[in-house]
Amino acid sequence: VYSPSLSLSFLTWFSLTQRKRERAMKGADAALYNPRTVEEVFRDFKGRRAGMIKALTSDVEKFFQMCDPEKENLSLYGYPSEQWEVNLPAEEVPPELPEPALGINFARDGMQEKDWLSLVAVHSDAWLVSVAFYFGARFGFDKADRKRLFNMINELPTIFEVVTGTAKKQVKEKSSSNHGSNKSKSNSKAQRGSESQGRHSEVVQPKDEDEGLDEEEEDEREETCGACGGGGPSSLDEPWIFCDFCETWFHMKCVKITPARAKQIKQYKCPSCNNKRARPD
């Protein structure tokens, strides 16, 4: 028996199912929409993130026009295929995936455009993390997997950082900091070499076996005075002298040597080496 109400219900169900399928699979592979491993979830995260960044940067004019305040509650969706969409929220309750922020269009004309885009970016970041960890919970990621997923996500700049330009600023500051750090290390090394020449007439050349040591290992090797155990030659607060026999640094005051006397010594032997008796033949 034909029933108009039954036909309407079927059409409504079919429409919702079709829309759900189109939204889920829009330009995306099925494997990406249903990720099961940490790597797959991260790939899904990156695709959705790229799509939303595109909406808020290169496609911003189109995005702005689609967020008409006269329309109903609209949301920004990102897809694993790096595509984006402005649409109404899913009708089913609860939805299959966490839903992004509702009503982003209502604030469009109530604030400056850059502030509005920043607001959408913040909500988009929150949505991306919620989707990623929804998949993690659904497929039983353990503590190690969750930590690995978060670390992989955390290596990428947030959408907010990209939209506001904070990400570029951080890269420049990091690059400048690294350059300054390298320059500081170079100056410190040169200063240390100059001090060593002033304290001792002979410049001690490193042995071949030590050539492979990096700066951190050198600092650890020169950490303490052979007499008192105080800070090593990298600390330039007081004069030092190097024993050519046991290859140990000493505070000059600890071995009772003045800087003027040290300049006259061609080969210094510390008190400990002086006290050693010669071995019998």
Side-chain angles (χ1 to χ4, degrees):
V1 179
Y2 173 76
S3 170
S5 60
L6 182 62
S7 178
L8 183 61
S9 298
F10 174 81
L11 289 175
T12 303
W13 172 84
F14 179 81
S15 175
L16 292 176
T17 303
Q18 186 68 14
R19 180 183 167 192
K20 180 179 177 182
R21 181 180 295 110
E22 288 176 356
R23 175 176 292 180
M25 304 302 296
K26 185 174 182 178
D29 295 329
L32 289 178
Y33 182 68
N34 199 29
R36 294 175 179 271
T37 68
V38 173
E39 288 72 21
E40 288 175 349
V41 172
F42 181 60
R43 196 156 59 242
D44 179 277
F45 176 92
K46 286 200 301 181
R48 296 176 189 275
R49 172 181 172 275
M52 301 178 96
I53 288 176
K54 191 183 298 182
L56 298 173
T57 54
S58 61
D59 296 347
V60 67
E61 291 186 10
K62 180 180 178 183
F63 173 68
F64 185 89
Q65 293 173 358
M66 294 182 70
C67 292
D68 186 353
E70 297 298 323
K71 297 181 180 179
E72 299 180 51
N73 280 304
L74 295 176
S75 300
L76 173 61
Y77 293 86
Y79 296 104
S81 58
E82 301 186 5
Q83 301 300 313
W84 61 274
E85 178 186 30
V86 172
N87 210 330
L88 297 170
E91 289 85 355
E92 67 270 21
V93 179
E96 183 177 356
L97 287 178
E99 284 290 309
L102 298 175
I104 57 172
N105 52 315
F106 295 149
R108 191 194 72 176
D109 298 337
M111 59 177 68
Q112 291 187 3
E113 181 176 334
K114 65 176 183 178
D115 294 331
W116 174 65
L117 293 174
S118 298
L119 178 66
V120 177
V122 169
H123 284 296
S124 299
D125 282 320
W127 179 67
L128 286 177
V129 172
S130 68
V131 170
F133 280 85
Y134 164 82
F135 286 128
R138 179 178 174 184
F139 296 111
F141 287 4
D142 59 18
K143 182 178 180 181
D145 284 342
R146 292 194 302 272
K147 184 176 181 180
R148 188 154 64 93
L149 175 59
F150 177 80
N151 288 339
M152 293 168 74
I153 290 173
N154 203 37
E155 287 298 313
L156 297 174
T158 63
I159 297 178
F160 176 81
E161 289 172 339
V162 174
V163 170
T164 59
T166 309
K168 291 183 179 179
K169 185 178 178 182
Q170 288 176 346
V171 170
K172 287 182 179 180
E173 288 178 350
K174 186 175 182 180
S175 176
S176 175
S177 174
N178 289 338
H179 178 72
S181 176
N182 292 336
K183 187 175 180 181
S184 176
K185 286 182 180 179
S186 177
N187 291 340
S188 176
K189 196 171 183 180
Q191 185 179 9
R192 188 186 303 179
S194 173
E195 290 286 335
S196 297
Q197 289 182 9
R199 293 172 194 151
H200 200 294
S201 60
E202 180 183 359
V203 179
V204 181
Q205 297 294 337
K207 293 186 177 182
D208 291 342
E209 63 185 11
D210 292 335
E211 286 179 357
L213 294 176
D214 56 26
E215 289 183 9
E216 291 183 2
E217 289 173 327
E218 284 187 50
D219 290 340
E220 289 177 2
R221 185 181 59 187
E222 300 174 352
E223 270 185 355
T224 58
C225 167
C228 71
S234 57
S235 172
L236 303 177
D237 296 331
E238 52 187 309
W240 293 75
I241 193 165
F242 185 76
C243 176
D244 295 289
F245 295 87
C246 64
E247 298 184 351
T248 305
W249 286 94
F250 295 89
H251 293 122
M252 287 189 184
K253 68 177 183 179
C254 292
V255 291
K256 299 180 180 179
I257 296 288
T258 64
R261 171 65 179 145
K263 291 180 181 180
Q264 299 174 358
I265 299 175
K266 293 183 178 180
Q267 197 173 37
Y268 176 68
K269 182 185 285 189
C270 70
S272 177
C273 292
N274 273 325
N275 292 334
K276 291 178 179 178
R277 296 180 180 179
R279 293 182 180 178
D281 294 334

